[in-house]
Amino acid sequence: NAGVTQTPKFRVLKTGQSMTLLCAQDMNHEYMYWYRQDPGMGLRLIHYSVGEGTTAKGEVPDGYNVSRLKKQNFLLGLESAAPSQTSVYFCASSQPGLALPLAREQFFGPGTRLTVL
Amino acid sequence: KNEVEQSPQNLTAQEGEFITINCSYSVGISALHWLQQHPGGGIVSLFMLSSGKKKHGRLIATINIQEKHSSLHITASHPRDSAVYICAPSGGGADGLTFGKGTHLIIQP
């Protein structure tokens, strides 16, 4: 099993360009997440999904859109990239628990390092 | 919003030492995760616990839900334990985790 994979690993964009980050998991997990990690700050939740066809906003959703058309894939889009979106992006997935806590441990992808000039 | 404080922020120790990393949070939770981020950037889940204590090899995690506090201990530390350790409380729902800023641990031979 590959676990959680992310494409691409690195990308440099110019301000105003668009791009899509792809996250794929082969563990049949229901829940998927996009986080960003910036120096001196903890990971922050951008968007998440609790199942195919569903998405919800996290702590820092502005400037990003997401889609979950297939259970195994979670896409993160930047329509018009800004330098403030320079960050390392992590995707994660987990399976719902049967009782509290409702979510189990999260499995993380290797990250995508994005630079916006 | 859950405020998460980890201490220390940075820790350098000698091989073999007993290591303790602390995590405090402000809002009641259902579970707390401890994660390890390797120097190469990958993040691995170490523990998820909602009460008491868990042990995996040389790693021990404890939590006191009433006091809103958790600790991660490493016994017989080794240079390969050098990493950033991140505490992440969870309200128990599907809406992700709240992360501490991490403790940067260096174990010197």
Side-chain angles (χ1 to χ4, degrees):
Chain A
N1 287 348
V4 181
T5 58
Q6 292 183 232
T7 309
K9 289 184 170 52
F10 303 93
R11 186 72 187 268
V12 178
L13 289 178
K14 293 182 180 178
T15 297
Q17 288 185 320
S18 63
M19 77 163 295
T20 300
L21 282 67
L22 171 63
C23 176
Q25 52 95 3
D26 62 3
M27 295 172 283
N28 203 35
H29 285 170
E30 291 293 334
Y31 299 166
M32 295 188 74
Y33 308 88
W34 276 108
Y35 297 100
R36 61 177 288 174
Q37 185 177 42
D38 301 296
M41 304 185 74
L43 286 141
R44 291 180 293 169
L45 181 66
I46 305 171
H47 286 279
Y48 66 100
S49 168
V50 298
E52 182 178 312
T54 73
T55 62
K57 294 180 180 180
E59 181 185 355
V60 288
D62 294 342
Y64 305 96
N65 56 75
V66 288
S67 64
R68 183 106 180 262
L69 298 179
K70 293 183 178 180
K71 185 177 183 179
Q72 63 267 34
N73 295 337
F74 195 27
L75 277 62
L76 178 71
L78 287 73
E79 288 186 350
S80 179
S84 60
Q85 294 177 304
T86 294
S87 189
V88 180
Y89 292 85
F90 287 95
C91 175
S93 70
S94 72
Q95 194 65 350
L98 298 177
L100 280 177
L102 295 177
R104 297 179 186 169
E105 71 171 296
Q106 294 195 7
F107 294 82
F108 287 81
T112 295
R113 186 173 295 275
L114 175 65
T115 302
V116 183
L117 302 175
Chain B
K1 184 179 183 230
N2 212 342
E3 301 295 331
V4 184
E5 294 288 335
Q6 283 189 238
S7 62
Q9 291 184 344
N10 298 283
L11 177 59
T12 299
Q14 296 298 121
E15 183 173 357
E17 287 189 35
F18 183 82
I19 304 299
T20 295
I21 298 169
N22 295 301
C23 174
S24 297
Y25 49 91
S26 60
V27 177
I29 61 170
S30 295
L32 184 137
H33 300 244
W34 280 102
L35 309 168
Q36 180 191 56
Q37 186 166 25
H38 299 289
I43 299 173
V44 175
S45 177
L46 298 174
F47 295 100
M48 186 183 79
L49 66 165
S50 54
S51 66
K53 176 180 175 179
K54 284 192 175 180
K55 183 174 189 287
H56 291 160
R58 295 181 294 105
L59 300 178
I60 303 166
T62 63
I63 188 168
N64 186 318
I65 292 286
Q66 287 73 30
E67 294 188 2
K68 299 186 179 64
H69 182 269
S70 176
S71 293
L72 177 68
H73 306 285
I74 305 175
T75 63
S77 60
H78 189 275
R80 64 175 174 266
D81 297 325
S82 298
V84 177
Y85 292 85
I86 302 169
C87 158
S90 168
D95 58 342
L97 308 174
T98 303
F99 297 84
K101 294 180 181 179
T103 294
H104 189 191
L105 174 66
I106 297 173
I107 304 296
Q108 295 179 333

